[in-house]
Amino acid sequence: MDARTPAAPDPPSAVPASRILVVEDDASIREVTAIGLTSAGFGVVTAPDGVEALERFRAEPFDLVLLDVMLPRLDGYEVCRQIRRSSTVPIVMLTARSEAIDVVVGLEAGADDYVRKPFELPELIARVRAALPRARAGSADGWQLRLGPLVIDVAGRTVARDGTDVPLTRTEFDLLLELTRHAGQVLSRDVLLDRVWGYDYLGDSRLVDVAIQRLRAKIEVDAANPALIQTVRGAGYKAVR
């Protein structure tokens, strides 16, 4: 009878690193950003232009996209729009532009956040880490919430209006959920930045305003005269009880 050496037990599986697609045409910024994110524990794939970014995104799974605005072949706005047609992955845009309209255009294209260039790596990493938990966090809540005609499946992270699914990005869903859970209560922009985006002092209140506009366009019958999410001038926003 042959003596057999017992098989060694399988090593415990490591928690996979969050995978980030960095899209930046400037080679030096791309390299420094990739090194910084890798050192922070992330898995990084890079692309130098918009077309290659979409090819990589469609070929591999990513947890977040770090997307420059000014790109050759296809600009960041259009890349963001095309990603949003099929995915709710968090998108953080990098912009060297300082005009408010450029930031708003990026957010309206579907971005979740933005970072101005030149940026410090610690700030960028903080933004990335703030976005990732929103994407990964499942909810322990096993029930549904209602806001007027909306049915919010908390565990499944879906929203339906009169039986028809309403496609929301992760940020839009989290924003709707936070307001609905506190229906009738005014939540300031700073509170929403902290609870939905995960930070306060790094944030910009325009993130909240544009996200509210995008959310209203999807859930309200008339976004110009919202019935579900109201603006309380000088104070913030509230979901109607």
Side-chain angles (χ1 to χ4, degrees):
M1 187 171 169
D2 294 337
R4 296 179 180 268
T5 303
D10 293 333
S13 58
V15 176
S18 297
R19 302 188 74 249
I20 300 176
L21 176 60
V22 176
V23 189
E24 168 62 63
D25 64 316
D26 186 301
S28 60
I29 296 177
R30 188 170 65 245
E31 182 179 1
V32 169
T33 302
I35 291 172
L37 290 171
T38 300
S39 298
F42 299 108
V44 179
V45 174
T46 64
D49 61 65
V51 173
E52 185 172 329
L54 287 175
E55 291 173 351
R56 288 186 177 274
F57 183 81
R58 290 163 180 162
E60 307 175 50
F62 292 98
D63 298 298
L64 182 141
V65 178
L66 198 56
L67 179 62
D68 188 28
V69 170
M70 302 299 291
L71 293 170
R73 302 175 73 189
L74 197 66
D75 69 35
Y77 298 137
E78 184 57 29
V79 173
C80 185
R81 293 187 189 99
Q82 292 200 32
I83 289 175
R84 277 290 171 258
R85 291 172 188 167
S86 62
S87 174
T88 59
V89 64
I91 299 174
V92 178
M93 300 201 77
L94 302 175
T95 175
R97 297 177 171 183
S98 58
E99 292 84 357
I101 186 61
D102 295 312
V103 173
V104 170
V105 169
L107 297 174
E108 289 182 339
D112 295 278
D113 200 354
Y114 69 93
V115 176
R116 295 187 191 278
K117 295 194 291 187
F119 53 80
E120 298 291 334
L121 273 174
E123 177 192 356
L124 180 66
I125 292 169
R127 294 290 184 98
V128 168
R129 284 179 170 153
L132 282 169
R134 301 200 309 275
R136 288 181 151 195
S139 174
D141 299 329
W143 60 80
Q144 293 181 336
L145 298 177
R146 288 184 174 271
L147 180 64
L150 301 180
V151 177
I152 304 168
D153 183 340
V154 181
R157 295 183 64 83
T158 59
V159 176
R161 182 187 179 100
D162 299 326
T164 301
D165 289 341
V166 180
L168 300 180
T169 67
R170 297 180 190 276
T171 297
E172 290 163 356
F173 181 89
D174 290 343
L175 184 58
L176 176 62
L177 184 59
E178 188 65 29
L179 287 164
T180 302
R181 280 175 166 159
H182 299 87
Q185 177 182 344
V186 179
L187 300 181
S188 70
R189 291 170 176 81
D190 287 343
V191 166
L192 290 171
L193 276 170
D194 183 55
R195 295 181 182 176
V196 177
W197 279 265
Y199 54 82
D200 46 18
Y201 70 95
L202 290 175
D204 185 324
S205 63
R206 282 175 296 187
L207 287 172
V208 179
D209 296 335
V210 175
I212 289 286
Q213 292 171 17
R214 284 165 33 199
L215 180 59
R216 283 173 170 165
K218 295 180 179 182
I219 66 172
E220 299 277 3
V221 173
D222 181 1
N225 297 286
L228 301 177
I229 298 177
Q230 296 182 340
T231 302
V232 180
R233 192 173 300 276
Y237 297 97
K238 72 174 180 178
V240 177
R241 189 183 297 277

